[in-house]
Amino acid sequence: MNHYPRKRFGQHFLHDRTIVHRIVQAFAPHAGETVVEIGPGRGALTRTLLERAKWLHAVELDRDLVAALQAEFGDAGLTVHSADALEFDYCTLAPPGGRVRVIGNLPYNISTPLLFHLLDQAGCIGDMLFMLQKEVVDRLAAAPGGKDYGRLSVMIQWRLKVERLFNVAPGAFTPPPKVDSSVVRLVPHAVLPVHVDDPQRFARIVKAAFSQRRKILRNTLKGLVAPETMERLGIDPGRRAETLSLQEFAALANTAAL
């Protein structure tokens, strides 16, 4: 498929067949499942996914690629949705009583907002397997206390199990990105690891706490959680957000609801 990568779409096309097969083997699609590929590009993953899944949905923003994908794979079981992955409703593809499986080599320039968009639809998603910038995967899997731990870490780990699979060097792509990549599996928790009374309040507190990383909780959560409330929970108002566990964020959110 002759298509020059477009910078505005953040296109880096995967061409390494060994990596393609490792990704598909890790994802292990089966015929009869509803599989959605985000950003199929030139179809490197698409071709191998179709061999295993037999039919496939793909969400692609680049209209030139949409036409090329339909021409090459339309008769092989591919349905291409010409849409922005950041706005697409993945739940509309879920079968009655079932869930969709999502896979993709995600454009690095939209990966974080796309992950939050998918998080909002986690109820209809069975699992996800993505190629992402290694730095983003480091943040997804980060534990409290390090520089990689932040809002993305907390929100993702609250809803999803994060499993880092393997790293991918820049040479596997055309054009090669300036960063290393990683493949990660994300699976919605069957039972959430912490109870949250109000998800919107929880999200607001996590966002506020990390809004200015160098500031302490007393300042970042001013107007949301009083310092004396933090102390009652055993949380020092002089701590920074990156030191708090998921359980402590849940406690702050649930107490703020009272």
Side-chain angles (χ1 to χ4, degrees), residues 162 176 228:
V162 180
E228 52 267 30

Side-chain angles (χ1 to χ4, degrees), residues 19 22 131 134 137 164-169 180-183:
I19 298 299
R22 286 189 71 184
M131 175 96 73
K134 182 179 178 297
V137 176
R164 186 199 306 268
L165 297 181
F166 55 89
N167 296 332
V168 180
D180 288 338
S181 305
S182 292
V183 176

Side-chain angles (χ1 to χ4, degrees), residues 1 13 69 93 104 113 150 169 175 189 193 209 217 227 236:
M1 191 180 296
F13 298 130
L69 289 162
L93 303 180
H189 292 297
L217 296 173
D236 183 353

